[in-house]
Amino acid sequence: MLLWFRNDLRLTDNPALNFAIENGVTDAIFFISPKQWQAHNLAPIKKDFIYRHALLLKHQLVELGIQLQLIEAASFDDQIDFLKANEHKQIIVNQELELNEQRRDAALKDAGVELITFESDVVVPKGLILNQSGQMFRVFTPFKRAWLSWLRQHGFNIETHPTIQSLVFEEKDLLAKIESDNFKAGAEKWPMSFQVEQTLIPMFMETKLSKYQEQRDVPSIKGTSGLSPYLAIGAISPKYLLTILLSRHPDILSEQPASAFSWLNELVWREFYRHLLFHFPNLIKGTVFNEKYENIPWQTDQKYLQAWQQGKTGYPIVDAAMRQLNQTGWMHNRLRMIVASFLTKHLLVDWRAGETYFTEKLIDLDFAANNGGWQWSAGTGCDAQPYFRIFNPITQSEKFDPQGNFIRKYLPELADIPDKYIHFPHEYIRATGLKCYWPAIVEHKAAREKALAFYKQHL
DNA sequence: TGATAATTCAG
DNA sequence: TGAATTATC
């Protein structure tokens, strides 16, 4: 038997790994697949992050007597060829959600390779949270209620093998070792998963969780957990996070206390979108969830898309957010909603273009959540906001970045603009004769009215 | 996980 | 007159 790591680069709560240990498996593989990653538009920083964690895992597995080989297989077809030719005909894996990955696994089975499959990417197994008519929920809140109720009733198992639990890692040399020129693309700023488990998660629980509800929407404050990149590559498991949360807040499945629950709520959104993709696998082919929106003639002018990508829309909160994405490979969640609304509603650009750009840039790219979020913003999605809910980028900025601290960080040219004008500085700039910022690409009120008419006409 | 204009109501 | 509420997009 062979242990095959994919989107589960971790020791803690890894059912495939546990099974391998119990059965004395000593061989493991992980594929480095540049061509496939390219086909999925994967951001360089995410490739870097994956590579680092694969190397970390290789190092950690030595302690368990398992040899992890990192194998170059350019595409999924090459992975299939490798595994068909391999001596092992039983392969232990954790299931992957996305369509290409599922097809690859199906092709392997057809070729006579037996996959021993576990599910480890969600807390509640996909397919079990259904409404009264046996369908997937189409609205988040009832899904959340059913999800919580299911967990209160059934609980969940987190299995970490005793051998793993007793391991202690001394990683001083490792961090230097995994600085690879091939992949280096900014991920070195993110701590490795073992540091996250040892330090970052306990710190977050101790110091930020009680203030999460009030601070999570403020991009100038590091009020979020910063765990999304680890969840996205499977370096940290959602069950592990819930286990720790439950140990501190035994009533969290009854939505108490409120602030801590608002964090769990975000994890439930993650589950919602993964369950959704499980039920509607074709979402990955770019289809709109709500077919009513199938034939919207989105704006095709590349100038709008490029201005948005480069952070040159003339709306400071949007431009600062896009610079954060371009410079760091990550963007605060509140800002993701603001820039997505701006691209789809103010510029009327196809949400798929924004989805792709996020994919190309984000360290924490998760297909299900990204697609779900974009369709939510565009109004085409499952439990989407109605098309007439259009974020006002100035109001949002005043609300969530009142002193402009975030804006000033990424738009230093606006550093000296008074708070009062920072959210839309054009009149102030005109009055003072400064030339420090480009004009607004569209005027809010007119763009809003245009968007309302546009959606109304094409629905 | 909105925004805005219209309307109501306290003072 | 301006805050609170409601209706509409």
Side-chain angles (χ1 to χ4, degrees):
Chain A
M1 283 192 287
L2 177 69
L3 174 60
W4 178 14
F5 283 94
R6 296 107 66 94
N7 212 34
D8 52 352
L9 292 168
R10 63 172 180 264
L11 300 181
T12 308
D13 181 35
N14 187 327
L17 172 60
N18 293 340
F19 183 84
I21 293 173
E22 280 156 20
N23 288 276
V25 171
T26 56
D27 291 327
I29 55 167
F30 177 79
F31 289 118
I32 307 282
S33 299
K35 194 173 153 192
Q36 197 67 43
W37 292 352
Q38 189 60 43
H40 294 174
N41 297 312
L42 222 60
I45 194 172
K46 187 176 172 183
K47 296 179 198 173
D48 181 353
F49 196 61
I50 290 171
Y51 186 66
R52 283 162 186 278
H53 278 87
L55 284 176
L56 169 65
L57 197 58
K58 179 185 171 77
H59 182 87
Q60 291 171 321
L61 287 168
V62 170
E63 307 287 324
L64 296 169
I66 296 174
Q67 191 196 8
L68 175 65
Q69 281 189 278
L70 307 188
I71 294 165
E72 288 247 8
S75 66
F76 281 173
D77 284 342
D78 295 333
Q79 294 183 6
I80 292 170
D81 289 344
F82 178 93
L83 291 166
K84 271 162 49 178
N86 193 268
E87 56 177 311
H88 300 286
K89 288 299 163 228
Q90 284 185 311
I91 303 182
I92 309 159
V93 295
N94 289 309
Q95 173 205 88
E96 288 194 287
L97 170 60
E98 294 84 357
L99 192 60
N100 283 343
E101 283 77 354
Q102 298 250 335
R103 284 179 173 162
R104 175 201 55 198
D105 290 357
L108 279 167
K109 283 179 186 169
D110 290 345
V113 177
E114 186 192 345
L115 293 181
I116 302 167
T117 306
F118 299 87
E119 184 176 3
S120 71
D121 63 321
V122 282
V123 177
V124 176
K126 300 181 289 291
L128 295 189
I129 305 294
L130 301 170
N131 63 22
Q132 300 232 322
S133 42
Q135 307 285 311
M136 170 64 189
F137 286 94
R138 286 166 184 263
V139 179
F140 173 72
T141 307
F143 173 88
K144 174 179 71 180
R145 287 200 198 100
W147 187 92
L148 290 168
S149 159
W150 192 94
L151 273 175
R152 286 195 301 266
Q153 201 177 332
H154 298 91
F156 64 97
N157 289 322
I158 173 161
E159 305 157 18
T160 287
H161 200 273
T163 318
I164 296 172
Q165 280 177 322
S166 63
L167 284 179
V168 177
F169 295 105
E170 294 289 342
E171 307 293 346
K172 284 173 192 160
D173 300 331
L174 177 73
L175 296 180
K177 256 183 245 163
I178 59 181
E179 294 284 320
S180 160
D181 290 332
N182 293 338
F183 286 94
K184 195 166 182 179
E188 69 277 4
K189 289 176 187 133
W190 294 82
M192 301 295 291
S193 59
F194 71 92
Q195 298 168 314
V196 170
E197 289 191 5
Q198 286 166 8
T199 310
L200 199 142
I201 293 172
M203 288 272 286
F204 172 74
M205 299 276 174
E206 194 63 43
T207 65
K208 293 182 180 172
L209 199 55
S210 61
K211 292 180 281 187
Y212 185 79
Q213 198 168 21
E214 57 171 294
Q215 298 196 334
R216 58 175 294 263
D217 271 320
V218 182
S220 62
I221 298 175
K222 283 193 174 174
T224 62
S225 69
L227 292 171
S228 55
Y230 306 90
L231 284 161
I233 68 164
I236 300 283
S237 110
K239 280 185 189 173
Y240 173 72
L241 294 174
L242 182 53
T243 302
I244 293 175
L245 187 60
L246 272 166
S247 73
R248 304 182 70 100
H249 298 294
D251 293 330
I252 203 69
L253 297 178
S254 304
E255 310 193 26
Q256 293 297 326
S259 185
F261 182 76
S262 67
W263 182 61
L264 179 57
N265 201 54
E266 296 305 303
L267 288 178
V268 185
W269 271 105
R270 178 180 177 278
E271 301 261 322
F272 178 62
Y273 284 135
R274 296 190 83 80
H275 281 238
L276 189 69
L277 185 56
F278 171 81
H279 288 280
F280 301 95
N282 283 341
L283 285 171
I284 212 155
K285 294 198 278 192
T287 55
V288 291
F289 183 80
N290 186 343
E291 60 279 0
K292 234 171 43 172
Y293 290 78
E294 215 155 52
N295 297 313
I296 297 263
W298 302 104
Q299 176 69 251
T300 52
D301 186 349
Q302 288 295 307
K303 276 186 204 159
Y304 275 179
L305 177 60
Q306 283 168 7
W308 177 83
Q309 289 172 335
Q310 295 164 9
K312 293 186 175 176
T313 66
Y315 286 82
I317 195 71
V318 175
D319 295 344
M322 295 308 290
R323 286 199 187 179
Q324 180 180 46
L325 176 64
N326 291 333
Q327 288 172 23
T328 72
W330 182 84
M331 191 195 290
H332 189 281
N333 177 256
R334 168 58 51 180
L335 302 174
R336 295 188 198 198
M337 293 194 283
I338 295 173
V339 302
S341 173
F342 194 83
L343 184 70
T344 55
K345 304 283 171 62
H346 285 75
L347 302 182
L348 298 174
V349 170
D350 193 333
W351 57 272
R352 295 175 192 83
E355 182 194 21
T356 301
Y357 193 68
F358 270 23
T359 305
E360 289 169 352
K361 293 290 177 184
L362 283 171
I363 188 173
D364 63 7
L365 193 280
D366 171 292
F367 181 88
N370 192 44
N371 181 269
W374 273 99
Q375 297 220 44
W376 179 86
S377 290
T380 67
C382 180
D383 195 21
Q385 59 167 356
Y387 74 87
F388 47 78
R389 263 186 210 165
I390 297 170
F391 280 47
N392 180 331
I394 301 166
T395 310
Q396 288 280 316
S397 184
E398 288 167 348
K399 207 163 161 185
F400 298 111
D401 192 26
Q403 280 86 46
N405 292 334
F406 178 80
I407 289 172
R408 289 178 225 276
K409 180 173 178 184
Y410 284 98
L411 297 174
E413 57 267 46
L414 299 182
D416 298 328
I417 306 274
D419 292 4
K420 192 179 166 189
Y421 304 102
I422 189 77
H423 310 288
F424 197 69
H426 302 285
E427 282 160 39
Y428 177 83
I429 290 170
R430 203 176 305 131
T432 54
L434 295 168
K435 279 183 185 156
C436 60
Y437 194 45
W438 38 79
I441 188 169
V442 291
E443 193 274 316
H444 166 67
K445 194 175 176 184
R448 178 175 184 273
E449 281 164 11
K450 188 178 167 187
L452 289 171
F454 176 83
Y455 273 87
K456 199 171 179 180
Q457 181 191 347
H458 296 293
L459 276 181

